[in-house]
Amino acid sequence: MHLSSLLLLLAAAVVTVVLCRTVKLPAMLGYLLVGMLIGPHALGLIASGDEVTHLAEFGVVFLMFTLGLEFSLAKLNAMRRVVFGLGAAQVVTTAALAGGAAMLAGYSWQVGLALGGAMAMSSTAMVSKLLSERNELNAPHGQNAIGILLFQDLAVVPMLIMLPVLGRPGEEMLWALGLAALKIVFVLVLLLNVGQKLMRPWFNLVAKQHSSELFMLNLLMVTLGIAWLTEMAGLSLALGAFLAGMLIAETEYRYQVEDDIRPFRDLLLGLFFVTVGMNLNFGTLAQQWWLVLLLLVFLLPGKILLIAALARALGHTPGNSLRTGFALGQGGEFAFVLLALAALYGLMPAELHQVLIASVVLSMLATPFVLQHSDKLVLRLAASEWMSMAANLHQIAVRTMQSQGHVVVCGYGRSGQSLARLLNQEEIPFFALDLDPEKVREAAAAGESVVFGDAAKREVLMAAGLMRARALIVTYADTHSALRILELVHQIRPELPVIVRTYDDSDIDKLKAAGAAEVVAEIMEGSLMLASHTLMMLGVPLNRVLKRIRAVREDRYQMFRGFFRGTVEDLEDGERPLPRLHTLLLVGGANAVGKTLGEFDLAALHVEVKSLRRKNMPPAQPSPDFELAEGDVLVLLGDPESLAAAEMLLQQGH
């Protein structure tokens, strides 16, 4: 491949993938678009896809390798009912319907089998990412989707064995399939018995050399070596890579290997998707547009309804069944792999191959938008979902009916449970919401105040007693969900203090602009603890260490010097009441609206304005010439009597 072609390919890929990331679309679609634009059937900037095809084939090898790394017998056993029940039913039914339709249209059964296998696949990368962003991986429909995807991944393996021999004559094909089955049994027995005994000590030996370059070289040698052995045995490179991943997954180096191999996989897999796009012929698609639309209808509405019907038949609720269908209605990355293999061995007519790739690409483009509106669609299509939602909201409302001045805890993971224990010790009532049904069931059985509910929904927050709450805490590091919660709280109770947890400092300004009273970054707190231990180890006196850390925190957290207090204040013997924080919402007609802070002598009342929160503006300490507006939330610091006087002055003018 010429350097100019390679530079052109890299530049186009970088620009297009950046654009895809900006509009929240998967990078895979960017690579496909690059291939479509620069390929021989569009701008013709690269004459033939053959120049990168051989290199791109290794992208599939590393994709299958990472699939083998994720293969776990324990995971399969834990989800066996969904995987081998709903997952098997989905793959077999989808493949049978698609293959049968192809045969009715006049294609051979070999074409039908290849087409059906490709249409049965969904995008593991896209679905898992979208469900994770929506905080739905642990929801019932999320577990259904993951189980089905797991079976789809397993179904790719026999397809990789069958497709290369389907184009042979009848008896020869049966002989080849039987021989391939014997080979795979032999290879599995050999690798799983001999390979497992050799893999761990060999990786231990390499790891003891403490060389990252040697470890990487060994990883590539093992992966490509096993892939080469399976190819020499008459099987495929991709199958060998899958087996290599399975072997390494049984060692303690699995996660290190996964991190090391990811750059190679992503780069080469990107090249594979570029070659898929380069093979798209727009002339053929223009002539066969009606067939593209027909297949798109099968992939989206048809596949969604089919999966929903299968889930419903296996006992899942209508709402969960529909949500599972909406998540898996698209085609996937393995569809491209199977279609490319079918075309390589002459099983797929060129025109049909073009149409199938185009329909899969369009279905993947539509998936983020389908999932975005899935909740509204489920409520419209499943009448029982209203009853289920109403029952859940009723349960939440009953649990919080007697609560007053409680804390709403969004998320009951490790951080949420640690916070709950501290609140219990201080006898502060709280109510927690979480989307993991198993976690909720176990915690509720232990007497914890937690129920199943999505804190990013208005109805759930209202049922959780938001109007009577004292504060709201988002304990999980999910900026998208936190922004939605902040928007709802601002609409319902803008004066309510909301504290948000985040992983690093990148989203602090965005969250504060949305109305967060404070944002706690894990990296920030971790660095402070690291610094404090380091200073003490170096002999710095403890009181000076605490002073330094407190100074940093006071500078970082605006309200660190004051605390929101309840109706009862616990004081140690001899301790004087400390100034407290108080939030004040300026309502319509308030005396302070339209005036500046400098017009009010709050200092004379011994009250300090710690910060001001306004929609779409990060909290900040306002200057004296700052003009106040309706809906502003002032955070004031002072003793109770002074705060009461300041509130009267700002609201009523006396």
Side-chain angles (χ1 to χ4, degrees), residues 389-400 431 440 444 450-452 463:
M389 181 181 292
N392 188 46
L393 292 176
H394 176 72
Q395 179 192 6
I396 296 174
V398 168
R399 294 280 299 274
T400 62
F431 191 76
V440 169
V450 56
V451 297
F452 181 85

Side-chain angles (χ1 to χ4, degrees), residues 224-242:
L224 298 177
I226 295 177
W228 176 78
L229 285 175
T230 56
E231 187 183 39
M232 290 297 100
L235 301 169
S236 67
L237 283 169
L239 180 61
F242 175 78

Side-chain angles (χ1 to χ4, degrees), residues 10-336:
L10 292 174
V14 168
V15 172
T16 310
V17 171
V18 167
L19 291 175
C20 284
R21 294 285 190 191
T22 304
V23 296
K24 308 295 185 184
L25 289 175
M28 180 197 313
L29 298 177
Y31 290 123
L32 289 166
L33 185 58
V34 167
M36 292 164 60
L37 291 176
I38 67 176
H41 303 296
L43 299 177
L45 300 178
I46 295 181
S48 172
D50 294 336
E51 294 181 350
V52 291
T53 297
H54 295 298
L55 187 60
E57 285 176 359
F58 287 101
V60 180
V61 168
F62 287 114
L63 176 64
M64 292 300 296
F65 174 77
T66 53
L67 179 60
L69 280 177
E70 295 167 4
F71 182 83
S72 167
L73 291 175
K75 186 177 180 180
L76 273 180
N77 185 54
M79 301 182 69
R80 60 187 180 277
R81 292 186 63 183
V82 176
V83 175
F84 296 106
L86 185 55
Q90 183 270 322
V91 170
V92 171
T93 308
T94 306
L97 289 175
M103 292 173 65
L104 288 175
Y107 293 103
S108 66
W109 69 268
Q110 291 94 333
V111 173
L113 182 60
L115 185 148
M119 293 297 99
M121 298 296 119
S122 301
S123 177
T124 302
M126 178 181 288
V127 172
S128 58
K129 182 176 184 297
L130 290 173
L131 289 178
S132 177
E133 288 178 351
R134 291 169 59 85
N135 209 23
E136 294 177 352
L137 278 177
N138 291 316
H141 66 278
Q143 291 295 294
N144 285 348
I146 296 302
I148 293 173
L149 289 168
L150 191 54
F151 188 87
Q152 289 179 2
D153 292 344
L154 292 175
V156 171
V157 177
M159 292 295 293
L160 290 174
I161 298 171
M162 288 190 295
L163 286 179
V165 300
L166 286 181
R168 300 182 184 180
E171 292 184 2
E172 186 181 342
M173 180 188 65
L174 291 175
W175 170 256
L177 282 174
L179 185 60
L182 288 174
K183 286 178 179 178
I184 189 62
V185 170
F186 174 76
V187 170
L188 278 173
V189 171
L190 181 65
L191 288 177
L192 295 180
N193 283 301
V194 179
Q196 282 187 347
K197 294 176 182 177
L198 295 176
M199 195 66 66
R200 192 184 301 273
W202 176 250
F203 267 80
N204 285 338
L205 176 64
V206 173
K208 286 179 181 178
Q209 310 309 311
H210 302 291
S211 169
S212 57
E213 295 87 353
L214 180 62
F215 190 85
M216 175 59 71
L217 285 172
N218 177 63
L219 175 59
L220 293 174
M221 181 195 72
V222 170
T223 305
L224 298 177
I226 295 177
W228 176 78
L229 285 175
T230 56
E231 187 183 39
M232 290 297 100
L235 301 169
S236 67
L237 283 169
L239 180 61
F242 175 78
L243 296 174
M246 284 180 58
L247 288 175
I248 296 175
E250 298 300 320
T251 71
E252 60 269 33
Y253 302 103
R254 169 186 173 181
Y255 298 105
Q256 178 65 41
V257 165
E258 195 170 2
D259 285 339
D260 287 345
I261 209 73
R262 186 178 293 116
F264 292 94
R265 182 202 66 184
D266 292 346
L267 175 62
L268 296 172
L269 196 58
L271 284 177
F272 170 75
F273 290 125
V274 168
T275 60
V276 171
M278 290 174 69
N279 290 325
L280 276 177
N281 190 326
F282 293 96
T284 304
L285 295 181
Q287 296 172 1
Q288 303 285 340
W289 62 268
W290 59 273
L291 189 53
V292 174
L293 292 180
L294 184 64
L295 285 168
L296 188 60
V297 168
F298 175 82
L299 270 175
L300 280 177
K303 196 171 175 182
I304 287 170
L305 293 175
L306 175 62
I307 293 173
L310 290 171
R312 188 74 184 98
L314 292 175
H316 297 278
T317 65
N320 287 334
S321 300
L322 281 170
R323 286 189 171 92
T324 305
F326 284 129
L328 299 173
Q330 77 293 125
E333 49 271 14
F334 282 118
F336 296 124

